[in-house]
Amino acid sequence: MAPTLQHLIVPYAATIAPLTGQDSQLPALPRLARLLARLEQQETDAGDEYSLSPPHERVLARALGLPTTDGAIPWAAWQAGERQQACAWFTPCHWQASMDQVTLQPPESLDLPEVESRELFEALRPWAEEDGITLHFESATRWRAVGPAFADLPWASLDRVAHRQLDAWLPNGGQLPQARALLRLQNEAQMLFYTHPLNDRRAARGLASINGFWISGTGAWDGQALPAPRVATGLRAPALRGDLTRWAEAWVQLEQDEIAPLLEAAEGGAAVRLTLCGERNAISWASGLPAKPGALSRLRGLFQRQRPLDLTQLLSQL
């Protein structure tokens, strides 16, 4: 019987924002360097920062045996265990308009309690039903939408748009006819939420309005998922906010909490796999798995281990 593989996926191990300034330099990560020195590079998931699904979602979907169609990884159906119908996540959020752009503020930065989220959910539900969409309240920050509109419908991941300009990520209804009704529903929700008494109460408390929702995790799923790898989430929030100082601090914490146990397991002879994901690419390393064939590959690996590991250069490849 093959040993159980310990797989750790690290989203936002690198960001598209450059590391500049003394306070945002990549910190020393000795455990990560030691771990990578023990592992064999296995594969690279190549992409760019314009894909609808970021690298960490593609890697996780592949590990789970889910479809990996760009922008149509069926996260809502999979997480809900829904095997019969197409689903999507509706995420209540704040669309922040300025003179020349609209950016999206995700709910985790908006202090949105469940009772307030339910008010907006109930307001939107009849409008969604008119379009053949059934809404289910999952949490304050996530509503599950079910309906045929979400089958084969690519939509950008929330991680692509959080704290960023929306224009480039909204589907083109002329090129994607199945998105038209949903784009209309988004517009209707903005008007509905704008006049909702809830937002007057939020404004009185100095909080941003909840004036829209984002669609993600679209598609149907009828398979059997594989065991889930571990996903380290600590780098996500500071990376999406562009806070590189906090991102560097989160790397130190992540190395202590996640990398150290994986290193200990690898040094103990366990089969481990580490996947570092940026906003363009992902690279995986593994031990306890068949190495790449060929003497040249083994010789190259030997010389790589003899050279000091430049983590900044490595992460720039992500």
Side-chain angles (χ1 to χ4, degrees):
M1 182 176 179
T4 301
L5 176 67
Q6 299 183 45
H7 185 188
L8 175 66
I9 298 173
V10 181
Y12 297 101
T15 77
I16 57 175
L19 285 173
T20 58
Q22 186 175 0
D23 293 335
S24 60
Q25 295 298 315
L26 184 69
L29 301 171
R31 296 182 184 92
L32 177 60
R34 282 171 54 192
L35 178 59
L36 292 177
R38 296 186 63 89
L39 305 183
E40 179 80 17
Q41 183 173 328
Q42 296 290 315
E43 61 188 39
T44 299
D45 183 309
D48 58 48
E49 63 268 39
Y50 304 107
S51 62
L52 300 178
S53 301
H56 58 273
E57 292 191 7
R58 301 195 301 262
V59 170
L60 180 58
R62 194 174 300 113
L64 292 169
L66 298 179
T68 57
T69 304
D70 190 37
I73 300 174
W75 294 120
W78 170 71
Q79 291 174 331
E82 175 62 70
R83 291 182 171 85
Q84 303 301 320
Q85 301 180 79
C87 302
W89 291 128
F90 281 12
T91 302
C93 56
H94 175 69
W95 295 44
Q96 183 174 344
S98 62
M99 290 293 292
D100 57 353
Q101 65 181 20
V102 177
T103 56
L104 184 145
Q105 303 301 314
E108 57 263 28
S109 64
L110 297 175
D111 188 14
L112 177 63
E114 181 175 320
V115 64
E116 292 186 351
S117 181
R118 282 189 180 276
E119 285 189 59
L120 297 177
F121 170 87
E122 293 297 342
L124 182 63
R125 183 162 61 175
W127 292 76
E129 289 174 350
E130 290 183 5
D131 287 332
I133 297 169
T134 302
L135 290 183
H136 301 270
F137 189 91
E138 298 283 347
S139 71
T141 60
R142 183 174 279 176
W143 310 334
R144 180 165 53 93
V146 180
F150 306 112
D152 303 315
L153 176 70
W155 211 287
S157 165
L158 181 63
D159 278 6
R160 284 303 201 198
V161 299
H163 302 286
R164 292 176 180 173
Q165 187 173 345
L166 286 181
D167 295 355
W169 298 107
L170 284 166
N172 185 322
Q175 299 175 357
L176 195 66
Q178 63 267 44
R180 292 173 188 165
L182 290 166
L183 291 168
R184 185 187 67 247
L185 183 62
Q186 280 186 319
N187 289 332
E188 291 169 343
Q190 290 181 55
M191 293 183 288
L192 179 66
F193 293 172
Y194 178 76
T195 58
H196 197 284
L198 163 67
N199 279 318
D200 292 334
R201 301 197 302 271
R202 288 181 62 85
R205 304 198 320 264
L207 298 176
S209 63
I210 308 299
N211 58 5
F213 68 89
W214 188 254
I215 299 169
S216 63
T218 57
W221 171 67
D222 58 3
Q224 183 68 41
L226 301 173
R230 183 168 180 79
V231 179
T233 60
L235 301 175
R236 176 182 180 271
L240 290 177
R241 292 195 305 267
D243 187 340
L244 296 181
T245 299
R246 296 290 181 268
W247 176 82
E249 293 171 353
W251 245 125
V252 174
Q253 191 66 44
L254 185 146
E255 191 189 46
Q256 175 182 315
D257 296 343
E258 304 282 2
I259 300 297
L262 199 66
L263 172 61
E264 183 178 357
E267 291 178 336
V272 305
R273 185 180 184 90
L274 174 67
T275 303
L276 300 181
C277 308
E279 298 193 55
R280 302 179 180 94
N281 310 312
I283 304 177
S284 294
W285 294 261
S287 67
L289 295 174
K292 295 179 180 179
L296 181 60
S297 176
R298 291 192 294 273
L299 185 61
R300 183 184 301 115
L302 176 63
F303 282 110
Q304 286 175 339
R305 283 166 171 75
Q306 291 175 343
R307 294 198 303 267
L309 183 64
D310 186 338
L311 287 177
T312 301
Q313 183 180 20
L314 185 151
L315 296 183
S316 71
Q317 300 174 33
L318 303 176

